[in-house]
């Protein structure tokens, strides 16, 4: 059991870390475009904002299990397979990116308008306002939102076990459900609870530290 659980934990960490990094990159880009092109943004553009806003809302509305199955052809195209931890990174990243985009967009748009106007009065460019003013002010809110997102990704990765995606979810289903080995199920659940609690504690710590 120890070897199986250890291997599965490594696979879960691999899926969560890589998919979160990919989703974070995409989410930051999307959030910046949404923030810039919003009606009250630095570069208002209704067409771009509405199209991107619609796409983000569509992706967020898909249940992960359905999205995962729908993206099997894309996973096959990118990594050459539809099973295993590598194949799950594609749907995990695509499912997570819209949530990260919304979290970052909301955090950026909550920045005090007075601070932005002050930066403009000093001749700051749009990129300077975004990265040196808005991002700096929004970091605590983004940390809090990203913590919840990572916890959700862990839950998504567990669902991937239903389709031979690897990780702790796969062990729980193969041993705990199909083979009725309850000890595997109990250990997996306890381990997931511990991981989530540790992540939430770290997220709270950094949020409080950065808020000061």
């Amino acid at each position: 059991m120890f070897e199986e659980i250890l291997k599965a934990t490594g696979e879960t960490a691999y899926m969560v870390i890589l998919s979160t990094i990919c989703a974070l990159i995409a989410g930051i880009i999307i959030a910046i475009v949404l923030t810039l092109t919003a009606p009250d943004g630095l570069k208002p553009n209704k067409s771009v904002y509405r199209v991107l806003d619609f796409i983000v809302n569509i992706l967020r509305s898909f249940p992960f299990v359905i999205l995962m199955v729908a993206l099997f052809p894309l996973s096959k195209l990118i990594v050459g397979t539809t099973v295993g931890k590598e194949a799950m990174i594609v749907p995990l990243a695509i499912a997570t990116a819209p949530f990260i985009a919304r979290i970052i967009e909301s955090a950026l748009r909550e920045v005090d308008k007075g601070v932005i106007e002050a930066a403009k009065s000093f001749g700051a460019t749009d990129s300077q306002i975004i990265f040196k003013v808005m991002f700096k002010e929004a970091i605590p809110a983004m940390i809090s939102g990203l913590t919840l997102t990572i916890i959700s990704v862990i839950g998504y990765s567990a669902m991937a076990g239903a389709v031979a995606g690897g990780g702790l979810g796969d062990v729980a289903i193969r041993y705990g459900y199909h083979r009725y080995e309850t000890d595997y199920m109990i250990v997996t659940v306890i381990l997931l609870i511990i991981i989530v609690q540790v992540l939430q504690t770290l997220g709270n710590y950094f949020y409080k530290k950065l808020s000061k």
Side-chain angles (χ1 to χ4, degrees), residues 41-130:
L42 299 172
K43 296 287 184 182
N45 188 315
K46 288 184 179 180
S47 299
V48 173
Y49 181 82
R50 286 177 179 173
V51 170
L52 195 55
D53 182 67
F54 178 75
I55 293 172
V56 169
N57 288 337
I58 288 293
L59 289 175
R60 287 180 64 197
S61 66
F62 270 90
F64 177 68
V65 173
I66 296 175
L67 182 64
M68 179 171 56
V69 174
L71 291 174
F72 275 168
L74 183 60
S75 297
K76 179 75 172 179
L77 180 65
I78 295 175
V79 300
T81 182
T82 59
V83 297
K85 58 185 185 296
E86 286 82 10
M88 292 303 108
I89 291 173
V90 176
L92 280 171
I94 292 176
T96 307
F99 286 93
I100 291 179
R102 284 300 187 205
I103 288 168
I104 297 176
E105 181 199 8
S106 297
L108 292 175
R109 296 184 69 175
E110 286 175 5
V111 174
D112 188 350
K113 299 296 182 184
V115 176
I116 298 173
E117 291 301 323
K120 287 181 180 178
S121 68
F122 281 103
T125 63
D126 290 344
S127 61
Q128 288 174 328
I129 292 172
I130 287 287

Side-chain angles (χ1 to χ4, degrees), residues 106-172:
S106 297
L108 292 175
R109 296 184 69 175
E110 286 175 5
V111 174
D112 188 350
K113 299 296 182 184
V115 176
I116 298 173
E117 291 301 323
K120 287 181 180 178
S121 68
F122 281 103
T125 63
D126 290 344
S127 61
Q128 288 174 328
I129 292 172
I130 287 287
F131 293 106
K132 293 186 178 181
V133 178
M134 297 178 74
F135 263 89
K136 185 176 180 180
E137 292 289 323
I139 283 178
M142 287 192 287
I143 291 294
S144 179
L146 288 174
T147 301
L148 295 176
T149 302
I150 294 172
I151 291 172
S152 296
V153 175
I154 293 173
Y156 289 161
S157 70
M159 292 183 208
V163 289
L168 291 169
D170 185 44
V171 169

Side-chain angles (χ1 to χ4, degrees), residues 25-36:
I25 294 171
I28 288 174
I29 294 172
I30 295 169
I32 290 173
V33 175
L34 285 170
T35 303
L36 286 171

Side-chain angles (χ1 to χ4, degrees), residues 5 16 21 40 60-61 63 108 125 132 146 161 164 183 192 197:
I5 294 294
V16 170
I21 290 172
D40 58 346
R60 287 180 64 197
S61 66
L108 292 175
T125 63
K132 293 186 178 181
L146 288 174
D183 50 347
L192 285 170
Q197 290 298 322

